[in-house]
Amino acid sequence: MAEPAWSTDTGGAVYRSRDPVRNLRLRVRLQRVTSTGLLLQQLPRSAGPPGKQLLGPATPSTAASSCLDDEEEEAVIGWQEKLFSQFEVDLYQNESACQSPLDRQYHQEILKLEKTGGRKNYRIFTYTDHDRFTNLEEHCQKMTNSDYEVTSHLAERMANVRRRRQDRRPMEGSTLKSRIITWEPSEEFIKNNHVINTPVQTMYIMADLGAYGKLGRREYEHVLCTIKVDSNGVITVKPDFTGTKGAYRIELDGEKRELWKYTIENASPQVKQEEEEREQHVFKDLYSRHKEYLSGLVGSEFEMTIPGTLRLFVNGEIVSAQGYEYDNLYVHFFLELPAHWSSPAFQQLSGVTQTCATKELGGDEVAYFSYPFTLEMFFTQEDESEGSLPQWPVLYFEVLSLDFWQRYRVEGYGSVILPSAPGFHTLTVPTWRPVELGTVSELKRFFIGGSPELEDMTYVRVPTTFKGERLSRFGFRTETTGSVTFRLHCLQQSKAFLESSAQRTRMQSVLDRLGGFSQQNSFYTVLEAFQKARRRMQEARESLPQDLISTSASTVHQP
């Protein structure tokens, strides 16, 4: 049977397991491909004259067996199972070289191994998560496939994030002389000693590929496999299990250029069918109980509004204010609810942002508030007549400044009608402020603060206390100031939206019109003007004498 081709895919694979990671087992087979052992295997097959042997040692059978033991090795390794290398055995045999508690633990384990006949592994060994080892090749990989790649600053920083100190042979009798606290650390010190505390455990399966009888040199250590496990049960194996692929290979540098191959298999014990069914039953019961718990928290039914009611929910944000004269701005706002609108008792309809310093951007001074607010309100339909048009809530606001000397000034007033269409809206609203004639008021505003203010902020549009037909603002002097930007996420909920499209096109109720047309806010003014003109015409007809009305009617209807 032909040997499978070499596997060039050395990328990692990610697995997820619900079983404890301590049950993980890996079987690793390591074999030298180009060696004297391969020649010794071919010697008995050499053809030669009868009674003569061309090449071979005096005792070929014993030499071949000893070399073959060195050429091939197999080990079954568990998760975080420690297999010592020859370098570690030589290092930790000397008790004076052990400084940390982990070193002393390894010293005791190696002494026990020596009493039981020595270590069973020869070339294959492991580095656990507690060992001071880092595979530098993992942190020096290129980001692209270009031969002219220049390592970026971010790649260099990330390469040094989890780099650990390399293992060194400590000097005999040496003591720890480093300070516990470094008050003025250098940049190099921070880079070399910074370690991210992540919930990921790492294990390396290594191989010592040194020459026969010369094991224990760090330059001949090679990483066969890297296993990483996090707290969520995600297992990363690099390279992946061999499976049906060919074996991985390692080609050494040097004159001999020896070639090794190895395979990685999952040797974890298989779960019995009875245990698997029992486990599935337990998980099913757990998921059902968790689902019942979540249903109890959320509720079995979706919250619905009562018939004839529109629920308007707004998640808003006061983004920024720009174009104002003074620094240290803040915004005071409140929501006015027209007739037939209401809000829950817990709902706050007013608020004040934090004081924000401005920064120059594009020639303007901009203050970034990023102040969030939430509004919830209900519209209840009471009049089903065709002439009933709802007024949408209005958000009034004023921009104020407060300097270092506690001088307070009004920078501008403005208002914004909440959008009638659901969805995301970005609105930039211009503002103005009242001014007085003369320079005295401006000097007072500059030196001691204070400025003309509105007693009723609703005067920005039509005051709530106004009962007349015409609102005159003649003589009221204002000055354009800056602008405020709002972001509004609007959500509308009503049972009228559940009706069929055919019923919505009839526009039987105000709620249908609210849900069917996003442009309704644009023709509010036109409809109101038409209704006012119709009322004025009716009042004019009622004020005329009855005989004049009858005479004009008879004149019009003459044939």
Side-chain angles (χ1 to χ4, degrees), residues 17-226:
S17 176
R18 295 178 297 185
D19 295 333
V21 68
R22 62 175 179 269
N23 297 329
L24 179 63
R25 296 288 186 275
L26 283 81
R27 179 179 288 106
V28 180
R29 290 189 179 94
L30 178 67
Q31 182 180 2
R32 191 198 303 259
V33 178
T34 56
S35 64
T36 57
L38 182 62
L39 177 62
L40 292 176
Q41 294 182 24
Q42 300 295 332
L43 284 178
R45 305 176 186 177
S46 302
K52 294 184 179 181
Q53 189 173 355
L54 297 179
L55 294 174
T59 55
S61 58
T62 56
S65 60
S66 60
C67 289
L68 288 177
D69 292 338
D70 180 47
E71 306 298 332
E72 185 175 357
E73 186 175 346
E74 177 179 337
V76 177
I77 305 171
W79 171 245
Q80 297 296 343
E81 180 181 354
K82 180 61 180 176
L83 299 181
F84 293 99
S85 64
Q86 186 63 43
F87 175 82
E88 291 175 316
V89 171
D90 297 339
L91 175 63
Y92 295 120
Q93 276 183 346
N94 187 2
E95 187 176 2
S96 61
C98 302
Q99 295 183 356
S100 64
L102 182 63
D103 295 345
R104 288 188 283 271
Q105 177 184 347
Y106 285 168
H107 173 69
Q108 298 296 331
E109 293 180 2
I110 290 176
L111 292 181
K112 292 180 181 179
L113 286 176
E114 294 295 334
K115 293 179 181 179
T116 57
R119 59 192 183 103
K120 305 301 180 183
N121 57 302
Y122 186 63
R123 293 185 179 272
I124 299 176
F125 63 97
T126 61
Y127 283 131
T128 64
D129 192 67
H130 304 288
D131 294 329
R132 292 174 296 176
F133 172 78
T134 296
N135 184 15
L136 296 182
E137 295 180 358
E138 294 182 353
H139 307 283
C140 300
Q141 293 179 352
K142 292 185 176 181
M143 300 293 109
T144 64
N145 55 4
S146 175
D147 296 333
Y148 306 98
E149 177 185 351
V150 178
T151 306
S152 64
H153 176 73
L154 178 61
E156 292 179 353
R157 290 293 181 180
M158 293 304 296
N160 294 322
V161 163
R162 293 205 48 162
R163 184 167 297 175
R164 304 175 184 176
R165 292 178 298 173
Q166 292 297 305
D167 223 346
R168 298 178 180 178
R169 290 180 181 266
M171 300 294 294
E172 294 186 4
S174 61
T175 58
L176 184 63
K177 298 181 180 180
S178 61
R179 292 175 295 176
I180 298 177
I181 299 176
T182 303
W183 296 106
E184 296 180 357
S186 63
E187 185 178 354
E188 186 70 20
F189 178 84
I190 296 174
K191 182 177 67 174
N192 293 335
N193 291 273
H194 178 64
V195 178
I196 290 183
N197 186 16
T198 55
V200 178
Q201 292 185 337
T202 308
M203 178 181 179
Y204 297 95
I205 300 178
M206 310 289 294
D208 189 347
L209 304 182
Y212 179 72
K214 297 181 180 180
L215 300 181
R217 296 184 181 181
R218 302 301 296 270
E219 60 268 18
Y220 293 115
E221 293 184 0
H222 293 267
V223 179
L224 301 182
C225 182
T226 304

